């Protein structure tokens, strides 16, 4: 008769606890948003805190100094750029109907053009369905952007609470680490520390590096579009910055959206926008990314494309943004637990 040994029992109990915690967090996830934002903010600011600590400041004063500096920068952004961004968003929202009509006119012209071509009825029906699908997709994208903007405004309290929570996380980081390690069996602490460092290396490469790159690309794109007198340059630059976090597809999405908006103004501007964004993406891919990231995440391009498509299917744009780092973390955890099972 099969008899369970102590190690197997411990694994089963541990797995049960993990599943129980996962179910608990699923029940309370609506209130977790500020905590996730706080963890993200603390992780981003941690290198700056460490830098000022090395310069002689205490951790608390380093956090206060960084918060004070960021508040000055944020205030400057709010008073100088936020009104312009909001004005562009409002203007963009007001012109969406006209853009939709213009897009429909392009589709109508295309339909009239290809209707003159002698195509079999089956192919013509498929083409009509594809055109209708594209039109519906554009409308859904517009609705999705609007809903996302409204959702961000509805989470104002979470954005206010997050920095407060992040302050405590940053100030007591070592205490939290020590407390967490003390909860673990002594024999597993070294393994957990090594595992944490590997995960930190992945997140450091992806999150911190890509945020820096996204900001640089967004700023350069905005300035370039302003120079050619492109409408909604700030909105497109902001959108490009966010989409740039998504490997491969992000740059493509940004170019398609920018060119589509420019095309509704003039073909000449659309050509300029296409050339500018193509040059910026080439600079980002061949100059900026290698300097900032310094290393890849260890995933084959085919694997990256697969997880991006899976992430997009499961969670939309947010799913695509999170797909690669989550996959890398899961691979690290999978290898860790497989090695532990082999050692049993």
């Amino acid at each position: 008769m099969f008899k369970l040994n102590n190690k197997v029992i411990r694994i089963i109990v541990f797995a049960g606890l993990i599943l129980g915690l996962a179910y608990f967090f699923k029940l309370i996830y609506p209130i977790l948003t500020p905590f996730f934002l706080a963890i993200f903010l603390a992780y981003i600011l941690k290198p700056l805190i460490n830098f000022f600590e090395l310069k002689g400041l205490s951790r608390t004063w380093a956090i206060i100094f960084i918060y004070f500096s960021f508040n000055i920068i944020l205030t400057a952004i709010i008073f100088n750029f936020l009104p312009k961004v909001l004005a562009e968003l409002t203007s963009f929202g007001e012109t969406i109907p006209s853009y939709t009509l213009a897009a429909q006119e392009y589709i109508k012209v295309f339909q009239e053009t290809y209707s003159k071509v002698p195509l079999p009825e089956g192919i013509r029906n498929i083409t009509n369905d594809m055109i209708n699908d594209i039109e519906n997709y554009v409308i859904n994208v517009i609705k999705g952007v609007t809903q996302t903007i409204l959702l961000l405004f509805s989470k104002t309290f979470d954005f206010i609470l997050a920095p407060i929570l992040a302050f405590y996380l940053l100030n007591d980081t070592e205490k939290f680490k020590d407390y967490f390690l003390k909860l673990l069996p002594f024999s597993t602490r070294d393994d957990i520390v090594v595992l944490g460092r590997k995960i930190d290396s992945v997140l450091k490469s992806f999150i911190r590096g890509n945020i820096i790159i996204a900001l640089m690309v967004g700023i350069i794109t905005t300035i370039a579009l302003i120079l050619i007198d492109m409408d909604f340059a700030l909105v497109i630059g902001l959108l490009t910055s966010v989409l740039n976090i998504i490997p491969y597809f992000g740059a493509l999405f940004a170019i398609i959206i920018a060119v589509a908006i420019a095309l509704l103004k003039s073909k000449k501007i659309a050509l300029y926008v296409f050339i500018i964004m193509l040059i910026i993406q080439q600079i980002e891919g061949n100059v900026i990314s290698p300097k900032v990231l310094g290393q890849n995440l260890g995933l084959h391009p085919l694997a990256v494309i697969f997880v991006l498509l899976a992430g997009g299917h499961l969670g939309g744009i947010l799913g695509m943004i999170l797909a690669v780092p989550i996959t890398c973390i899961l691979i690290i955890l999978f290898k860790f637990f497989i090695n532990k099972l082999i050692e049993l």
Side-chain angles (χ1 to χ4, degrees), residues 127-141:
T127 306
N128 287 331
D129 291 339
M130 288 176 62
I131 292 171
N132 290 330
D133 289 341
I134 292 171
E135 187 174 355
N136 292 330
Y137 178 76
V138 171
I139 293 171
N140 289 331
V141 168

Side-chain angles (χ1 to χ4, degrees), residues 252-282:
L252 179 62
F253 291 160
I255 291 174
I256 291 173
I257 293 170
V259 171
I261 294 173
L263 192 61
L264 297 173
K265 183 178 181 180
S266 77
K267 294 179 181 179
K268 183 180 179 181
I269 292 293
L271 178 61
Y272 289 160
V273 169
F274 177 76
I275 294 172
I276 286 171
M277 297 202 65
L278 196 62
I279 292 172
I280 291 172
Q281 291 302 327
Q282 288 299 313

Side-chain angles (χ1 to χ4, degrees), residues 200-216:
D200 178 66
S201 177
V202 169
L203 294 179
K204 189 184 298 180
S205 175
F206 186 84
I207 296 178
R208 292 174 183 161
N210 278 285
I211 285 177
I212 294 171
I213 294 169
L215 287 173
M216 293 175 68

Side-chain angles (χ1 to χ4, degrees), residues 55-201:
K55 296 297 181 180
L57 282 177
S58 67
R59 176 168 285 267
T60 301
W61 279 109
I63 297 169
I64 293 172
F65 175 75
I66 290 171
Y67 267 46
F68 180 74
S69 302
F70 271 84
N71 277 330
I72 293 175
I73 295 171
L74 187 61
T75 302
I77 291 173
I78 288 173
F79 282 101
N80 291 283
F81 296 102
L82 187 61
K84 296 177 182 178
V85 173
L86 292 176
E88 281 203 3
L89 284 172
T90 303
S91 177
F92 184 67
E94 292 172 351
T95 55
I96 282 176
S98 61
Y99 275 132
T100 303
L101 290 173
Q104 289 173 342
E105 285 298 320
Y106 274 108
I107 293 172
K108 183 179 177 181
V109 171
F110 176 75
Q111 286 176 325
E112 291 175 353
T113 302
Y114 95 87
S115 64
K116 299 175 183 178
V117 180
L119 294 173
E121 189 63 26
I123 295 177
R124 190 176 300 279
N125 290 334
I126 292 172
T127 306
N128 287 331
D129 291 339
M130 288 176 62
I131 292 171
N132 290 330
D133 289 341
I134 292 171
E135 187 174 355
N136 292 330
Y137 178 76
V138 171
I139 293 171
N140 289 331
V141 168
I142 293 171
K143 288 181 179 178
V145 170
T146 305
Q147 290 172 354
T148 301
I149 293 170
L150 293 174
L151 179 63
L152 289 175
F153 280 107
S154 70
K155 295 290 184 180
T156 302
F157 177 75
D158 293 341
F159 286 105
I160 294 173
L161 184 59
I164 299 171
L165 298 174
F167 178 87
Y168 291 106
L169 287 174
L170 287 166
N171 197 45
D172 296 325
T173 299
E174 298 305 319
K175 291 181 181 178
F176 285 124
K177 283 182 181 178
D178 292 340
Y179 181 74
F180 174 72
L181 290 175
K182 287 177 181 177
L183 293 175
L184 301 172
F186 185 79
S187 59
T188 63
R189 292 178 188 176
D190 290 340
D191 289 332
I192 296 300
V193 169
V194 172
L195 188 63
R197 286 173 180 168
K198 289 181 179 179
I199 292 174
D200 178 66
S201 177

